[in-house]
Structures are given as structure tokens and as C-alpha cells.
Amino acid sequence: MRLLPIVVALGVVGATIASSGETQVPDAQIRPQSLQWQKAGEAALAVGQFQAADDALEAALIVDPRNRGAFVSLARVAQRQKLYGQAIRFTNKALALEPNDPVALGVQGEALVELGAVARAQQNLAKIKTLCGTGPCAPATSLAALIQRGPAMAKAETPAAAAKKN
């Protein structure tokens, strides 16, 4: 009688372990169709077709929601449209999959700078530098240059300030 709960618990654990390995795909393997959609989205972004890029990248995530690159590319689409908050949300999703992704940290840092959160962007830069080590690192270089420049939104002239000048 006292052994019954233990035997039942062991049976449930055994059944769970046996069934969990049947359908899992390793995280390092993104489905090829998802990568094709991602490439199509990045090509559309390169020529400025934001809606087509967005659609293709979302299709990539439907095919494989673990496609970190698609989240980063969606963040780049949002940045080009000056939707910096949305860019940060997409990079957060990429970083939830891999917290040490220097590209995602760099894109997120760029969006943070544009929103005026320079201190937080500097934290991202420090983490990128740690991840990249002493060698050249494109995400660190571009983020450092953007931090030096400062937020474009703060430098942009507001319509009210332009009206006062006239």
C-alpha cells in the first residue's frame, strides 16, 4: 500500500521520458524551409520592401519558431521603419532562445540608442565585447559608433521647434 504512489510516480516518469525523445529536433537544426523564408525576407528588406520582408520572416517563424535569425531580421525591419520598441521586442525573443547572441545584442543595442536608452545600450556593448573577445567584432564596432553618435530621435527637430524658428 505504501509503495503504490512510488510505483505510479515512477511509471509516469518512465512514460514521459520514453515519449519526449520521439518528436524533438535538436536546437541547432533549424528547418531548411524556415531558412529559405528567412533569406527571402532578408532579400526583400535589402530592397526596401518592408511588408514582403515582414511576411516572409513571419512565415519563417511559423515553420520553425526557434529561428533566431528570423527574429533578428524582423527587428531590423522594425528598425528601418523606426519602430524601435518593436525591434527590442523581437530581439528579446531572439535572446530568449540564445542569451549570448552578439548579433541580437547589437541590434537591440542600436534600437536602445535610438530610443535614448544609451546606458542600457552600453551594457549590451560590454556584453558583446566579452563574447567576441579581443578579435574584430562587427556588432561591437557598429554599436560603439552608434553610441558615440547618439540617438537620432533626440537630434531630430520636432515640428514645434521648427515652427518657433519661423
Side-chain angles (χ1 to χ4, degrees):
M1 187 61 107
R2 290 187 290 181
L3 295 175
L4 183 62
I6 296 171
V7 171
V8 170
L10 289 174
V12 170
V13 169
T16 304
I17 290 172
S19 67
S20 67
E22 292 177 15
T23 59
Q24 287 185 352
V25 177
D27 285 342
Q29 293 180 345
I30 302 297
R31 293 184 178 165
Q33 187 178 13
S34 178
L35 294 174
Q36 290 173 345
W37 280 111
Q38 179 185 348
K39 287 179 184 177
E42 290 169 351
L45 176 61
V47 296
Q49 296 176 345
F50 301 131
Q51 187 61 47
D54 192 62
D55 292 344
L57 292 166
E58 286 182 6
L61 289 170
I62 289 170
V63 171
D64 196 338
R66 295 171 294 122
N67 188 341
R68 205 172 59 241
F71 281 118
V72 173
S73 293
L74 274 169
R76 287 189 171 129
V77 171
Q79 277 185 316
R80 294 272 304 270
Q81 295 175 315
K82 300 191 184 325
L83 302 171
Y84 302 114
Q86 188 174 4
I88 291 169
R89 282 191 295 279
F90 284 130
T91 54
N92 282 341
K93 290 179 181 183
L95 291 168
L97 294 169
E98 174 55 56
N100 295 324
D101 183 352
V103 175
L105 286 166
V107 172
Q108 183 181 61
E110 292 170 6
L112 288 167
V113 168
E114 295 300 340
L115 287 175
V118 178
R120 186 129 174 258
Q122 288 173 334
Q123 291 174 350
N124 278 22
L125 179 60
K127 188 170 183 177
I128 293 168
K129 286 181 177 179
T130 301
L131 292 170
C132 289
T134 58
C137 185
T141 304
S142 65
L143 181 55
L146 192 62
I147 289 172
Q148 180 111 21
R149 185 202 79 197
M153 291 176 58
K155 293 180 180 180
E157 194 171 356
T158 63
K164 286 182 182 179
K165 284 184 178 179
N166 296 328

